[in-house]
Amino acid sequence: MTESTPLIRRPVFLGLILTLAFGVTLLALLFPQMNDLMQSPLRIGEVAPYEINAPYALTYTSELLTTQQQDLAAQEVALVYSVPDPAIARRQLESLRTVLAYISNVRADAYASLEQKLNDLAALENVVIDRDTGQAILALSDSRWQIVNQEIIVVLEQVMRGTVREDKMDEVRRNVPTLVSLSLAVDQADIIAELVTAFVVPNSLYNAELTETARQQARSTEPPVILSYAANQTIVQRGQLIDELGYEAMQQFKLVQPGSTWQDIASATILAALCCVYAVFYLRCHPVLIEGTSGMRNLGVLVVLFILFLLATRLTIPGHVVIPYFFPIMAYSLTISALFSAELAVIATLPLVILATFGLPEALVLDIYYLLSSIFGIFALRRAQRVTSYFWAALAIALSGAGVSILYRLLSPTADWLGLATLAGAAAVAGVASASI
């Protein structure tokens, strides 16, 4: 009975350890979204309940400002009109000649009274001749009427030869009196101006299609508006209304997405499950690690260290730019190497690094930074029999971490010497802190 107890307890213990590791790992992966899960999504026009800062440096094209600039450029495009149509001018001149011939007939009617002639002039459809103008026309002698008749045609032809647009009609009509010959009397000039003005119509028509084409061209030539945010720069201050520009920036940083959506939960669950399967396969290939009471104890220590470092990492580095390079996650690798073996340290470091950087903007760079630094530290530490081994481990971590961080930073177009020095210093601090722990 006593000998069979460990056989019964070991599967149960392994199941509990894996379940605990899976649950804590999943919780750690979802922790950065927990704050969003407990809060309602932020919307335009709402008051920011807290200060919203940029979690990392980002440069992006502002669709909002770009659209505003394009709309402004399109509004500044002048309306496009067709070239003056001579057919319109000929049609108006022909109508004017018809009206003038009608007026001449009314003037020559010897059997109509003055009142009848005024009524006949008022009956014209194309032009409104009031009583005063009608009396002035009828009072002209035949010779003067012929002069007025010819001048009316000349002035209208002169006006319609130019560009007459609908939006410029008032201006064109105001200028008609200035085109009348100065040799004519005032009463004659008034008659000419009134009759000509009645026949002035637009000969250059608005072209909606060409105008829209010009506006689209103006929009396409407008350069995009680029916005940049530094890490921790304030996007929206606490207590301020969230405007469209701030909301767009929050969308770029994925700060307005509902926290822990089913996609986030599913991906975190799959990753946690894969890491547990990874651990099971390794234990099946190396059963000596969990044999006996000491094996269970060793496994418990390994899992506890894994959970502690994973929780510490997920609580510290998300939402920061430089702190991830300071964080001494390599201490986990050195500790496992010192307590167990370098092989187990390398095997155990891989899932920790992948889980620690899950969902972060520069996950790939941090993965390589943590993994290579840890491996270099493990190689430098060796059997950890002397204190100097930790010094060499710290140096190896610092140099390899600085090399990786500087290498990837040099590929960025915004690289500067201050940023490179900061990352190199962060790697040095991480190496010393890891070896010290």
Side-chain angles (χ1 to χ4, degrees), residues 18 21-22 25 269-287 289 299 302-303 306 332 336 342-355 371 375 378:
L18 287 175
F22 174 80
T25 299
T269 303
I270 293 173
L271 181 58
L274 286 176
C275 289
C276 289
V277 173
Y278 172 85
V280 169
F281 273 108
Y282 180 78
L283 294 177
R284 283 175 61 89
C285 295
H286 300 80
L289 184 65
L299 181 60
L302 184 63
V303 171
F306 183 89
Y332 172 78
I336 300 302
E343 177 190 354
L344 181 59
V346 174
I347 296 298
T349 297
L350 180 60
L352 176 63
V353 167
I354 295 175
L355 293 170
L371 189 59
I375 292 175
I378 292 169

Side-chain angles (χ1 to χ4, degrees), residues 348-369:
T349 297
L350 180 60
L352 176 63
V353 167
I354 295 175
L355 293 170
T357 60
F358 173 74
L360 299 184
E362 296 185 349
L364 179 60
V365 177
L366 289 175
D367 283 342
I368 299 175
Y369 173 77

Side-chain angles (χ1 to χ4, degrees), residues 370-382:
Y370 289 150
L371 189 59
L372 285 182
S373 300
S374 298
I375 292 175
F376 272 92
I378 292 169
F379 289 162
L381 186 63
R382 297 182 182 179

Side-chain angles (χ1 to χ4, degrees), residues 364-420:
L364 179 60
V365 177
L366 289 175
D367 283 342
I368 299 175
Y369 173 77
Y370 289 150
L371 189 59
L372 285 182
S373 300
S374 298
I375 292 175
F376 272 92
I378 292 169
F379 289 162
L381 186 63
R382 297 182 182 179
R383 298 177 60 85
Q385 294 179 339
R386 297 181 180 180
V387 177
T388 54
S389 299
Y390 292 94
F391 168 78
W392 292 114
L395 183 61
I397 292 173
L399 293 178
S400 59
V404 171
S405 58
I406 291 176
L407 168 65
Y408 280 93
R409 183 61 62 179
L410 285 174
L411 298 177
S412 172
T414 59
D416 54 74
W417 290 109
L418 180 60
L420 297 177

Side-chain angles (χ1 to χ4, degrees), residues 285-296:
C285 295
H286 300 80
V288 67
L289 184 65
I290 56 175
E291 288 181 351
T293 305
S294 61
M296 293 294 100

Side-chain angles (χ1 to χ4, degrees), residues 80-367:
V80 179
Y81 288 83
S82 61
V83 296
D85 187 357
I88 297 177
R90 291 189 177 94
R91 185 171 60 248
Q92 292 305 106
L93 285 170
E94 186 63 28
S95 298
L96 177 61
R97 288 191 178 95
T98 302
V99 169
L100 293 177
Y102 177 82
I103 295 175
S104 296
N105 290 334
V106 171
R107 282 171 48 85
D109 190 355
Y111 299 99
S113 64
L114 177 61
E115 190 66 27
Q116 182 62 44
K117 291 181 178 180
L118 291 175
N119 291 335
D120 291 340
L121 293 178
L124 283 169
E125 296 181 356
N126 295 334
V127 59
V128 178
I129 299 178
D130 58 29
R131 190 175 185 85
D132 293 338
T133 304
Q135 289 178 345
I137 292 175
L138 296 176
L140 292 174
S141 63
D142 291 341
S143 60
R144 287 181 178 273
W145 169 245
Q146 289 300 323
I147 295 174
V148 169
N149 196 324
Q150 294 175 2
E151 186 68 12
I152 290 174
I153 295 175
V154 170
V155 172
L156 180 61
E157 184 177 358
Q158 185 177 354
V159 172
M160 296 302 294
R161 282 183 182 277
T163 300
V164 182
R165 296 177 180 174
E166 187 174 0
D167 58 335
K168 302 293 185 180
M169 283 289 295
D170 293 339
E171 181 181 350
V172 173
R173 286 170 176 167
R174 285 196 302 268
N175 290 333
V176 168
T178 63
L179 302 177
V180 180
S181 175
L182 297 178
S183 62
L184 298 177
V186 174
D187 57 339
Q188 294 173 305
D190 291 341
I191 294 173
I192 295 170
E194 185 170 344
L195 292 178
V196 169
T197 301
F199 286 88
V200 173
V201 295
N203 60 6
S204 178
L205 304 179
Y206 169 68
N207 192 316
E209 183 178 353
L210 292 180
T211 300
E212 185 59 29
T213 301
R215 288 173 176 172
Q216 291 298 335
Q217 185 177 3
R219 287 190 178 97
S220 63
T221 56
E222 193 69 20
V225 179
I226 307 298
L227 292 183
S228 296
Y229 279 90
N232 296 321
Q233 181 179 345
T234 300
I235 299 176
V236 182
Q237 293 183 350
R238 182 176 181 272
Q240 284 189 341
L241 289 177
I242 300 175
D243 57 12
E244 293 182 354
L245 189 60
Y247 189 80
E248 181 189 47
M250 292 160 57
Q251 285 181 314
Q252 292 292 328
F253 287 103
K254 297 180 173 56
L255 298 177
V256 293
Q257 301 296 330
S260 296
T261 59
W262 71 268
Q263 296 96 331
D264 298 325
I265 297 175
S267 58
T269 303
I270 293 173
L271 181 58
L274 286 176
C275 289
C276 289
V277 173
Y278 172 85
V280 169
F281 273 108
Y282 180 78
L283 294 177
R284 283 175 61 89
C285 295
H286 300 80
V288 67
L289 184 65
I290 56 175
E291 288 181 351
T293 305
S294 61
M296 293 294 100
R297 185 172 59 250
N298 291 340
L299 181 60
V301 171
L302 184 63
V303 171
V304 169
L305 286 173
F306 183 89
I307 290 175
L308 288 177
F309 272 91
L310 178 60
L311 288 176
T313 307
R314 296 295 293 179
L315 290 171
T316 304
I317 67 174
H320 300 281
V321 177
V322 181
I323 289 181
Y325 293 90
F326 279 101
F327 192 82
I329 195 174
M330 290 71 71
Y332 172 78
S333 305
L334 299 183
T335 303
I336 300 302
S337 179
L339 293 178
F340 301 100
S341 66
E343 177 190 354
L344 181 59
V346 174
I347 296 298
T349 297
L350 180 60
L352 176 63
V353 167
I354 295 175
L355 293 170
T357 60
F358 173 74
L360 299 184
E362 296 185 349
L364 179 60
V365 177
L366 289 175
D367 283 342

